[in-house]
Amino acid sequence: MTAPTTAPAEAQHTNAHVDPAAQVAAAGFVPVQTRSERPHSFAPADFGAPTGREVNWKHTPVARLASLFDVAAENDGVTYDFGTAQQYVAAPLAAGAAPRGDVFLPEDVTSAVAWQGSAEALHIRIPRETEVAEPILVTITGQGAERRADAHIVIEALEHSAATVVLQHTGAAQYAQNVEIIARDGSKLTVISLQQWQDDAIHTASHQARVHADATLKHFVITFGGGVVRVNPNIELAGTGSEGYLYGLSYADAGQHFESQVFLHHKGAHTTGDVLYKGALQGAGAHSVWIGDVLIGPDATGTNSYEANRNLVLTEGARADSIPNLEIQTGDIQGAGHASATGRFDDEQLFYLQARGISEEEARRLVVLGFLTDIVQRLGIPVLEAELLAAIETELAAVNA
C-alpha cells in the first residue's frame, strides 16, 4: 500500500482497507506499527466503517460517529460567517485544484468522507509579506443535531506573511471536517480550532499541515463542548529551520468524549517542535483521549522536540487515556523527550493553600485555573483568553454545585 504524492483526481486512490484477520493470516504480514505507516486513500470505501478494533479507533465510541462514515446526502448542516475577514477568502477549490491536496492525504474514513463530500473547499489565503493584525475569525454554526455536513478547508500563509486564523464551532451538527494548512517559507501562522458545540453535536476533524523553511506554525485545539469531538492534528516540519508548536486544552463533562491523535513529523534539518495538551474532566462517563506521536526522520538533524500531555481528573467516573510515542531515526539531534501524567488534585498544593486560610473549594478552583491557564495564555488574544477563562469558571461552578 502506497500513498499518492500529488493532489489526486477523485478516481485516484490506494486500496487502504483490508480485513485485519486476513492480514494477520497472510504470510509475512507486519501490522502497522507507527503513525507514519498508516495507509491513505481518498475513497471512504477503502477504509470501510470502523469497528473499534482498529489501532486508530480503539479508544473512540465509533457507534456515536456512525453518521459520519458516509458522505452527507445534504451538505447543509453548518453555516460559515467570515465577518470582516472576507477579504482573505479566496476562490473555492475543487478536488485537484492546487493548493488543495498539496499536503492532505486522508488517513481514516471520516477524512476521506469529508474530502469526497466537499465539492468545493474553502480557501483562506494570506498574501505574501502581509501581516494581519486582527485574528481572522471563521464562525462555523451547526444548524441542528440531526443535520449533516462535510467540509474541506485550506488555510494558506504565503511567504513571509503573518496571521492568526480562528475556526470557532458553535451550535450542533454532525460534522466531518478536514483542515489543510500550508505555511510557506518564512511565514508565521497561528491556527486555533475552538469547539464550543452544544452537547448533542458530533465532530471529527483531520488537520494536516506542512511548515516550510524558516516558517512557524502555532496550532491550538480547544474543546469545551460537543458530545463526541475528535480532532487529529498531523504536522510536518518539512523545511530547514521550521518550527511547530501544538497546544491543546479540553474540559470534558459527563458523557462527553474529547479526543486528539497528534502527529508531529520532523522532516527537515534544525527543526523545533513543542507539544503540550492539558485536559480537565468531571462527571460520570467524561472521557478524554490523547495519543501523541513524534517522528524525527533520518534527515532531521539538529532537531529539538518535546511532547507532553497532562490531565486532571476532578470527580469519580471520569477517565483520561494518554499515550505518548517517540520515534527517532537519526542520532544527530539536540534533544527529544515525551511525558504523560494523569491524576487528581495535588494534596500538597491543597494543603499549602488551606494552611493560608483559603477554603477547600477555593483552593481547588485555584489549582484548576493554574493548571489550565498555562495553555490559555499562549493564545495571545486577550478577548479569547478572557472568554475561555470565563468558560473554565463556569465549568468549575458546575462541579462545586
Side-chain angles (χ1 to χ4, degrees):
M1 291 180 285
T2 58
T5 57
T6 58
E10 293 197 11
Q12 294 177 307
H13 57 266
T14 61
N15 185 9
H17 180 63
V18 181
D19 179 70
Q23 286 185 316
V24 171
F29 169 70
V30 178
V32 170
Q33 300 293 315
T34 66
R35 178 74 174 264
S36 60
E37 294 177 354
R38 290 184 184 176
H40 302 97
S41 175
F42 291 86
D46 283 348
F47 295 101
T51 65
R53 296 188 298 272
E54 300 83 357
V55 66
N56 58 328
W57 291 100
K58 64 181 180 180
H59 298 283
T60 310
V62 294
R64 296 173 67 181
L65 295 175
S67 64
L68 303 184
F69 300 154
D70 295 298
V71 174
E74 296 183 9
N75 195 3
D76 60 358
V78 301
T79 60
Y80 300 86
D81 182 76
F82 306 102
T84 59
Q86 186 68 50
Q87 61 182 307
Y88 301 108
V89 180
L93 300 170
R100 178 177 178 176
D102 284 2
V103 173
F104 200 89
L105 294 171
E107 63 177 9
D108 60 24
V109 62
T110 54
S111 57
V113 162
W115 177 278
Q116 296 293 345
S118 306
E120 294 184 328
L122 170 65
H123 185 194
I124 299 170
R125 186 173 182 268
I126 316 303
R128 183 178 287 104
E129 298 182 356
T130 298
E131 183 172 348
V132 183
E134 296 298 321
I136 298 170
L137 176 61
V138 181
T139 302
I140 302 170
T141 305
Q143 300 302 296
E146 74 289 349
R147 305 278 286 275
R148 269 282 283 118
D150 297 321
H152 191 95
I153 300 171
V154 178
I155 301 173
E156 182 184 20
L158 295 186
E159 291 79 0
H160 304 288
S161 64
T164 295
V165 179
V166 181
L167 304 177
Q168 184 177 38
H169 304 87
T170 63
Q174 304 168 25
Y175 188 41
Q177 178 195 58
N178 296 332
V179 180
E180 184 170 3
I181 303 166
I182 307 168
R184 304 289 185 189
D185 290 356
S187 62
K188 298 184 183 300
L189 179 63
T190 297
V191 175
I192 303 169
S193 183
L194 179 58
Q195 287 67 241
Q196 296 173 306
W197 296 107
Q198 296 173 6
D199 288 346
D200 50 357
I202 59 173
H203 176 198
T204 64
S206 178
H207 290 213
Q208 296 187 18
R210 180 172 295 147
V211 187
H212 291 260
D214 298 317
T216 299
L217 173 65
K218 292 184 179 180
H219 185 275
F220 291 83
V221 177
I222 300 175
T223 306
F224 279 73
V228 179
V229 177
R230 173 178 147 123
V231 181
N232 293 345
N234 181 331
I235 312 299
E236 179 187 285
L237 300 180
T240 299
S242 57
E243 301 180 13
Y245 302 92
L246 284 64
Y247 301 128
L249 173 64
S250 64
Y251 202 126
D253 289 320
Q256 291 181 316
H257 176 96
F258 297 158
E259 178 175 344
S260 282
Q261 298 185 26
V262 181
F263 181 34
L264 178 60
H265 183 185
H266 291 267
K267 195 171 183 179
H270 303 289
T271 53
T272 300
D274 184 39
V275 180
L276 178 60
Y277 273 59
K278 287 189 172 186
L281 304 94
Q282 64 191 29
H287 188 200
S288 69
V289 175
W290 179 87
I291 302 173
D293 290 282
V294 173
L295 170 61
I296 300 176
D299 299 320
T301 56
T303 286
N304 191 7
S305 185
Y306 193 80
E307 67 167 343
N309 175 231
R310 309 195 185 282
N311 300 291
L312 190 57
V313 179
L314 304 178
T315 66
E316 296 291 337
R319 173 182 172 182
D321 292 315
S322 181
I323 306 170
N325 301 295
L326 175 61
E327 183 180 3
I328 304 174
Q329 298 177 336
T330 176
D332 184 11
I333 63 173
Q334 290 189 23
H338 59 180
S340 171
T342 298
R344 301 188 182 277
F345 285 102
D346 187 320
D347 290 336
E348 290 187 5
Q349 287 182 324
L350 291 178
F351 176 79
Y352 177 87
L353 293 170
Q354 288 181 269
R356 281 149 181 79
I358 298 174
S359 68
E360 180 179 356
E361 180 178 316
E362 179 64 9
R364 290 177 180 273
R365 171 184 166 275
L366 291 174
V367 169
V368 176
L369 279 174
F371 176 72
L372 297 178
T373 299
D374 177 30
I375 300 296
V376 175
Q377 292 177 337
R378 297 173 191 242
L379 289 165
I381 306 174
V383 172
L384 182 54
E385 290 176 8
E387 180 182 335
L388 292 176
L389 290 175
I392 294 171
E393 293 277 14
T394 299
E395 297 280 5
L396 289 171
V399 77
N400 291 323

